[in-house]
Amino acid sequence: MNNQTTDSRSGGTPAPKSDPMTLGTLPIGKLLVQYSVPAIIASVAMSLYNIIDSIFIGRGVGAMAIAGLAITFPLMNLVIAFCTLIAVGGATISSIFLGQKNVARATDVVNNVLVLCLIHSFVFGGLCLLFLDDILLLFGATEETIPYAREFMRVILYATPISFVFIGLNNLMRATGYPRKAMISALLSVAVNIVLCPLFIYVFGWGIAGAAFASVCGQTAAFIWVTIHFCSRKSYVHLELHNRWFTPSIIKRIYSIGLSPFLMNVTACVVVVFLNKALLDYGGADGNLAVGAYGILNRTTMFFVMVVFGVTQGMQPILGFNYGANNWHRVTETLRKGIWIGVCITSAGWIVTELFPAAISSLFTIDTSLIDIATPGFRIYFIFYPVVGCQIVIQNYFQSIGKPKLSIFLSLTRQLIFLLPFLLVLPRFWGVKGVWASMAGSDMLAFVVAVITLWITMRRMNKNRLIPLA
């Protein structure tokens, strides 16, 4: 690989204000603030949008609509999976290329990410629309919930080209030195959504489809924002017509690194199917409400998980750049600080959910039966939540330095390897409470495995004092 600076821009063009080369020189603490704070703000905004969206649906459409929305979670995870497969892989290798001062190669990544996003969106979105009812029934939809799930997902799936390109390019925007602009695009999406959602549901009377239309409008606004950025030659890395648009070597690396978040979301899809089935089986006459309770727990846990993801998104360009530049001490310092921040965030989530479970449930619904199911679920599910932040940071660390196999392994431990056996056993003894306990137990075991994996890997790297370039 050519490690020379191969910037395709014309000579004499002044360097842009956002210079990713500072990733190798500025103090790590300052870089984490510079990159993680905008990502955290964007993640919090996206999480609040999801929560507010669910509140509008629960209070404006009904308890069955919340259950129908919960049925869409596996399919939404699949949508995210096929998008992050490209977005995360592209962002990681573009950071590594910039660390190697290979700007032209980083530009090739942008071109390839755009093409792959469009291909994935048309193929995946089209197939899901053709078999939508069959997919929703497989994911646990019942006669009462499938109308809501179908109505919501049709709108979302028709807009996959817009959402895929927005998410793919937004990750690249952050990775190539523009964390604040990436934050603005996420905030723009959320702001438009929050304004339009109550209008479409309450005023226009569009029901759950109105929430989906509001989401699409928000993503369209953000799509326009990120497209303008990458079309501008003032951006450090931007679209170049004469650069490569479909490069097998780049595509292979995008897929290899993006495979970890892809499998994480696919396994989340599989797990939610088993969760929905267990809740329907052991929830008895209240099975649909138990699924709705999981929807409330899921929205809440994703709020804190998304904040941690904001931290890891801010860490990713720092880790990728310094890994590419062989600055090993900066890599380890970034990891250490990221773990402490992640643990603090999920510990805050543990405190809130253990102290105020009924109050949180009441935000989403006025149905007392649904609140009664969700309240003990919070206390059981979140019992080991503080360690989740550490596990997520470690998993994303391996992804950011181009070690996808370890990242994939750690994602599978939490989402699949430990959770499914628990789901087969614990609900038999404790019913719905056993479902919540299964998720808590898998979190704790996944944390233990992540720490052991990191310790072994760090010992080997420190012994060799060598980070092989991806």
Side-chain angles (χ1 to χ4, degrees):
M1 180 184 301
N2 180 12
N3 290 335
Q4 293 179 343
T5 305
T6 51
D7 193 341
S8 57
R9 292 169 301 198
S10 59
T13 302
K17 185 176 180 180
S18 294
D19 187 355
M21 295 305 159
T22 58
L23 290 165
T25 56
L26 290 180
I28 296 299
K30 183 175 182 178
L31 286 171
L32 281 172
V33 171
Q34 181 180 338
Y35 279 80
S36 288
V37 169
I40 290 171
I41 292 172
S43 295
V44 168
M46 292 296 290
S47 300
L48 286 175
Y49 140 66
N50 286 327
I51 291 172
I52 293 170
D53 212 29
S54 298
I55 292 172
F56 285 140
I57 291 171
R59 290 179 170 268
V61 187
M64 280 300 110
I66 282 285
L69 185 65
I71 293 297
T72 69
F73 289 167
L75 188 50
M76 290 295 289
N77 281 331
L78 280 180
V79 172
I80 295 171
F82 280 94
C83 187
T84 55
L85 174 62
I86 308 161
V88 174
T92 300
I93 64 172
S94 64
S95 294
I96 293 174
F97 281 139
L98 289 175
Q100 298 166 347
K101 297 181 171 54
N102 197 334
V103 181
R105 199 68 167 160
T107 302
D108 287 339
V109 174
V110 178
N111 293 17
N112 280 263
V113 164
L114 177 59
V115 171
L116 290 175
C117 281
L118 291 173
I119 293 173
H120 276 223
S121 63
F122 284 115
V123 173
F124 177 76
L127 288 174
C128 287
L129 283 168
L130 283 175
F131 303 103
L132 183 56
D133 277 16
D134 294 330
I135 294 170
L136 293 174
L137 289 170
L138 176 66
F139 290 166
T142 63
E143 185 178 343
E144 294 84 3
T145 58
I146 194 169
Y148 297 103
R150 180 196 303 123
E151 195 175 354
F152 184 83
M153 284 309 304
R154 275 181 178 169
V155 178
I156 297 297
L157 289 171
Y158 275 119
T160 47
I162 291 173
S163 59
F164 273 45
V165 172
F166 154 52
I167 295 172
L169 294 185
N170 201 54
N171 274 264
L172 283 175
M173 185 185 290
R174 183 182 302 106
T176 55
Y178 296 87
R180 291 185 181 179
K181 293 189 75 172
M183 174 191 71
I184 291 172
S185 61
L187 293 178
L188 180 62
S189 173
V190 171
V192 172
N193 196 316
I194 290 177
V195 170
L196 294 181
C197 191
L199 180 68
F200 290 167
I201 292 177
Y202 295 106
V203 180
F204 292 176
W206 290 353
I208 197 170
F213 276 116
S215 179
V216 169
C217 289
Q219 290 179 351
T220 301
F223 162 82
I224 295 170
W225 170 261
V226 297
T227 303
I228 290 173
H229 168 82
F230 280 104
C231 287
S232 172
R233 296 186 66 83
K234 293 181 180 179
S235 301
Y236 194 89
V237 175
H238 49 265
L239 291 166
E240 288 278 4
L241 291 176
H242 64 269
N243 276 44
R244 300 174 181 178
W245 289 84
F246 200 83
T247 312
S249 61
I250 288 179
I251 292 172
K252 180 181 178 181
R253 294 178 67 184
I254 287 174
Y255 283 145
S256 66
I257 295 174
L259 192 61
S260 172
F262 172 79
L263 288 178
M264 183 178 69
N265 283 291
V266 170
T267 53
C269 167
V270 173
V271 164
V272 172
V273 173
F274 280 93
L275 283 169
N276 286 341
K277 185 178 185 305
L279 291 168
L280 288 170
D281 290 344
Y282 294 98
D286 293 328
N288 283 323
L289 289 179
V291 173
Y294 170 66
I296 294 174
L297 267 67
N298 181 272
R299 288 303 196 200
T300 307
T301 187
M302 284 308 297
F303 173 81
F304 296 100
V305 167
M306 287 295 289
V307 177
V308 179
F309 280 160
V311 175
T312 60
Q313 287 172 355
M315 291 171 60
Q316 182 271 314
I318 305 170
L319 289 169
F321 185 98
N322 288 287
Y323 178 80
N326 280 319
N327 292 330
W328 177 233
H329 66 285
R330 292 176 64 82
V331 172
T332 54
E333 183 183 353
T334 304
L335 172 63
R336 185 173 62 253
K337 290 182 176 178
I339 287 175
W340 280 111
I341 296 171
V343 169
C344 288
I345 292 167
T346 49
S347 295
W350 172 73
I351 293 170
V352 172
T353 53
E354 292 294 324
L355 292 178
F356 310 108
I360 297 172
S361 303
S362 300
L363 291 174
F364 293 87
T365 181
I366 57 174
D367 190 303
T368 54
S369 298
L370 182 53
I371 294 171
D372 289 342
I373 297 172
T375 298
F378 272 110
R379 290 207 166 102
I380 298 170
Y381 175 30
F382 282 82
I383 191 168
F384 297 128
Y385 205 62
V387 302
V388 171
C390 178
Q391 196 273 344
I392 293 173
V393 171
I394 293 173
Q395 175 194 318
N396 281 271
Y397 159 75
F398 288 118
Q399 175 184 296
S400 297
I401 64 170
K403 292 187 176 295
K405 291 181 180 179
L406 289 174
S407 183
I408 291 168
F409 167 68
L410 294 181
S411 68
L412 291 177
T413 57
R414 181 170 179 239
Q415 303 260 13
L416 193 69
I417 296 173
F418 296 134
L419 181 55
L420 288 187
F422 279 138
L423 282 175
L424 293 174
V425 176
L426 298 185
R428 295 177 182 271
F429 298 98
W430 299 329
V432 171
K433 290 183 179 179
V435 177
W436 313 138
S438 298
M439 293 187 279
S442 66
D443 283 344
M444 174 54 72
L445 289 181
F447 158 73
V448 173
V449 171
V451 171
I452 293 173
T453 303
L454 179 65
W455 180 74
I456 293 172
T457 306
M458 284 295 202
R459 284 197 65 182
R460 289 176 179 173
M461 284 186 169
N462 283 328
K463 183 178 180 181
N464 296 329
R465 288 294 176 185
L466 175 66
I467 305 178
L469 294 178

